[in-house]
Amino acid sequence: MHVTRILAIRHGETAWNRDARIQGQIDIPLNDTGHWQAERTAAALADEPIDALYSSDLSRARQTAEALARQRGLTVQMHPGLRERHFGAFQGRTWADLEQEHPDVVHAWKKRVPDFAPPGGESLLALRARVEATFAELAARHPGQAIAVVSHGGVLDILYRAAARVDLQAPRAWAMGNAAIHRLLWTADSGFALLSWGDTRHLEEADEAGPRDEQAAA
């Protein structure tokens, strides 16, 4: 049985992460902390085998992946299937604003109603279908190899649920920090399996030259 090893990485911090503003598929770049996190992530993975590097085509993911590409001499292969969930009319808004203006809609969102979608946006069911198909497609290209994949919080939440066999509506009880590293396996017969999740040790080590506010990256 040919196993594909997956290093799944969330993009570094953006200004909108810090403001708790919904990014979705709006193309927001990394802030200074995010660039620092990307470089730290690349250094942390310098000795790990990586045969191919994939990324969402949104800037915050691409910039994070480019730090790893420079470290390893790899080419970043962009895939739109790795984009964040499309939040439709919610994109660009803060949760505080939405709770005041549309409490019923936010209630459905927080309850993780599977077929609920923001106006013009994507439901959890649609997101799950896209994410599982994309990761399986990429993993199937590299049997017996290791790939690194840089994506987004909502995407990686779905990946965790697939690997840990957690229901789509179950409350999230696992970390989704910016620039965290997650390790999984994939086979055509068994699908995804979880090795480790939420590794942020590379962001916790002392580095006086870099920004030091991981709380804002949660």
Side-chain angles (χ1 to χ4, degrees), residues 42-83:
L45 296 175
D47 296 328
E48 297 209 25
I50 299 175
D51 296 289
L53 173 59
Y54 295 95
S55 174
S56 157
D57 56 354
L58 297 176
S59 294
R60 54 195 185 272
R62 176 178 51 78
Q63 291 171 334
T64 304
E66 285 171 349
L68 184 55
R70 289 191 296 271
Q71 173 75 245
R72 305 299 298 270
L74 295 169
T75 299
V76 181
Q77 302 180 61
M78 255 76 80
H79 196 304
L82 296 170
R83 287 183 179 184

Side-chain angles (χ1 to χ4, degrees), residues 66 100 106-107 130 163 180-181:
E66 285 171 349
Q100 287 185 350
V106 172
H107 178 75
R130 169 166 67 87
I181 300 168

Side-chain angles (χ1 to χ4, degrees), residues 4 54 77 79 136-143 145 186:
T4 303
Y54 295 95
Q77 302 180 61
H79 196 304
E137 172 197 334
L138 299 180
R141 296 178 187 177
H142 301 278
Q145 295 183 320
W186 180 89

